[in-house]
Amino acid sequence: MHVAEKGEGPLILFLHGFPDLWYSWRHQITALAALGYRALAPDLRGYGGTDAPDSVSDYTCFHVVGDLIVLLDAVAPEDKVFVVGHDWGAIIAWDLCLFRPDRVKALFNLSVPFIPYNPRFKPVETWKAFFGNDHYIVRFQEPGVMEAEFAEIGVGRAVLDLLSYRVPDPLLLPKGNLFGHPPDAPVDLPPWMSQQDADYYATQFEKTGITGALNYYRNFDRNWELSAPWWKSEIKVPVKFVMGDLDLVYTMPGMKDYIHKGGFKRDVPLLEEALVIEGVTHWIHLEIPDQINQLMFHFFSKFH
């Protein structure tokens, strides 16, 4: 497991999303280390410098949370730690809190709220019913298919297109027209991504491929099945949740009602706040890093 680390003090474990790396947390690592924390940001299994098992079945929620427990046992064996997640990292952070609340002091989560197990809604078929066969989660399911299509335009290029997606609409990836523009057109990088940042991401994914990252999506239904024992369980750690109102997750069917009308608070009773920031997209910690760092510091400082 490749881990980026900086600072001394109470430990904060940062969990990145898709298609991301430890590098996503560069602004938070520097800022929180300067404020007296020990920031720890791994590449999750299948990403960057961390091992990538071959089998799709090696990327379940249990495998990934297991990696984190082994990491915590190595760096902070006796301690509860602060946890920060974004996107897939947020999903994994919820699982960590659900499975091992004894290891988490408090959670600051971004973009993806806790989605509890529901026996009536199998994830992939639910997304397919709402959004059709071109929805990115549906398209990612079949091993090898998206790898081949991304390879046609270059996997580094595909990752940059994904990281540059910043509208609140569902991400659709129709075959032969993946991102809605010619493959030789320059990527419209967001203002928070420099060319140096883009080169780092592209180089890393060209080196490792993207199969490990896609395998998380290929376990959505399996994770749903594995989560059945936690039906109607609550998240029992203190939480602050933040997302942008232009996040594609926020505009998913039923999400606004769940967040604002009591469902989220019911399932996460120690939720201090669910803050939705206007004019901000899915990449919130990159788009407004100073504001996120201040919110994080203010929240974690309550637990010293």
Side-chain angles (χ1 to χ4, degrees), residues 6-12 29-39 82 297 304:
K6 189 178 181 69
E8 296 179 4
L11 193 146
I12 305 176
I29 291 169
T30 304
L32 274 297
L35 290 167
Y37 289 88
R38 181 184 180 190
F82 297 118
F297 176 68
H304 289 219

Side-chain angles (χ1 to χ4, degrees), residues 4-243:
E5 183 177 9
K6 189 178 181 69
E8 296 179 4
L11 193 146
I12 305 176
L13 177 65
F14 291 93
L15 305 176
H16 69 78
F18 171 89
D20 229 322
L21 299 159
W22 74 268
Y23 190 73
S24 166
W25 299 112
R26 57 197 179 277
H27 305 303
Q28 286 69 41
I29 291 169
T30 304
L32 274 297
L35 290 167
Y37 289 88
R38 181 184 180 190
L40 203 71
D43 285 335
L44 297 174
R45 81 163 44 198
Y47 283 90
T50 294
D51 290 348
D54 292 331
S55 173
V56 171
S57 61
D58 286 334
Y59 290 81
T60 72
C61 52
F62 290 156
H63 290 91
V64 183
V65 171
D67 291 345
L68 300 179
I69 293 299
V70 173
L71 174 62
L72 292 179
D73 281 348
V75 299
E78 305 299 326
D79 297 341
K80 288 190 172 190
V81 303
F82 297 118
V83 179
V84 180
H86 171 255
D87 186 79
W88 257 104
I91 296 172
I92 294 158
W94 292 121
D95 285 338
L96 176 61
C97 293
L98 195 61
F99 303 155
R100 293 297 305 271
D102 58 302
R103 301 309 305 268
V104 181
K105 192 180 297 183
L107 170 65
F108 185 95
N109 236 2
L110 298 168
S111 178
V112 182
F114 178 57
I115 308 297
Y117 171 81
N118 186 328
R120 293 178 300 154
F121 295 109
K122 197 170 185 178
V124 175
E125 66 183 32
T126 300
W127 281 305
K128 189 174 182 178
F130 275 124
F131 303 119
N133 291 328
D134 287 340
H135 190 255
Y136 74 105
I137 292 174
V138 180
R139 292 276 278 130
F140 286 173
Q141 293 305 306
E142 188 64 36
V145 170
M146 288 310 300
E147 287 93 330
E149 291 185 38
F150 286 157
E152 290 178 8
I153 63 173
V155 68
R157 163 65 190 255
V159 165
L160 293 181
D161 272 316
L162 289 164
L163 290 169
S164 300
Y165 190 82
R166 50 192 189 272
V167 295
D169 305 318
L171 173 57
L172 304 179
L173 296 174
K175 183 174 175 60
N177 187 26
L178 290 179
F179 297 102
H181 52 70
D184 56 349
V187 179
D188 179 22
L189 295 176
W192 56 87
M193 185 183 293
S194 69
Q195 189 59 52
Q196 182 181 353
D197 298 333
D199 291 344
Y200 181 79
Y201 281 113
T203 300
Q204 289 294 309
F205 279 94
E206 283 163 4
K207 190 185 303 180
T208 64
I210 200 169
T211 296
L214 294 175
N215 282 343
Y216 286 72
Y217 290 92
R218 293 165 183 158
N219 278 281
F220 256 129
D221 282 349
R222 187 177 285 109
N223 288 342
W224 172 78
E225 293 170 355
L226 293 171
S227 299
W230 286 269
W231 188 23
K232 299 184 179 179
S233 291
E234 298 172 345
I235 298 291
K236 294 290 184 64
V237 305
V239 175
K240 188 179 183 78
F241 178 77
V242 186
M243 75 188 310

